[in-house]
Structure formats: C-alpha cells, structure tokens
Amino acid sequence: MPFYVLNSQEYNGHHEVHDTQHTNQCTYPLPEHRIDLGFHANCALAVNEARLRYSQAVIDGCAFCTNCHTV
C-alpha cells in the first residue's frame, strides 16, 4: 500500500498530494515541507484525507507521481 504526503507549500495555487513510492518521477516536496498522510489504497483516498484535515486548502494529486491529478 502506498504512503502519501502532502506538500505544505502551494504550487500553482494549491497543495499537492504525492506518492512516496514514485519518487523517481517526482522530486517534490522537500523533506521539510512534507506532511505525512499515511498509507492509503489509492491516491483518491489520500486526497480525501488531506481535504478532511485541511478543508480550507485547495488540494490535488501531483501530475507526475499520482494518477488522481485533476487541475
């Protein structure tokens, strides 16, 4: 099961969820900007977890290391 992190810094106006198993496809976020979301069966569940925790933020999956990028 993949482990997901949220980038605490904004990128293009929103925060991105990253799959740590695919770090060769993506270099973000830097360790000091990672918020652990934990293990999830898929990216959509990790994005939902991030949205529950940070309801005021715009959150999306990374276009490079996840399959749930929508913006």
Side-chain angles (χ1 to χ4, degrees):
M1 190 174 306
F3 189 86
Y4 292 90
V5 296
L6 179 67
N7 191 344
S8 65
Q9 292 189 314
E10 284 188 21
Y11 178 74
N12 288 338
H14 61 277
H15 299 272
E16 294 184 324
V17 171
H18 297 268
D19 179 347
T20 61
Q21 288 185 335
H22 295 99
T23 55
N24 60 333
Q25 298 171 346
C26 177
T27 59
Y28 296 101
L30 297 172
E32 60 268 21
H33 300 296
R34 292 180 186 173
I35 299 170
D36 291 345
L37 296 173
F39 293 97
H40 295 277
N42 59 55
C43 179
L45 293 174
V47 168
N48 286 340
E49 173 71 23
R51 288 178 178 160
L52 285 173
R53 291 191 199 181
Y54 306 98
S55 61
Q56 302 301 315
V58 177
I59 298 172
D60 194 17
C62 173
F64 300 104
C65 68
T66 71
N67 62 356
C68 65
H69 178 74
T70 61
V71 178

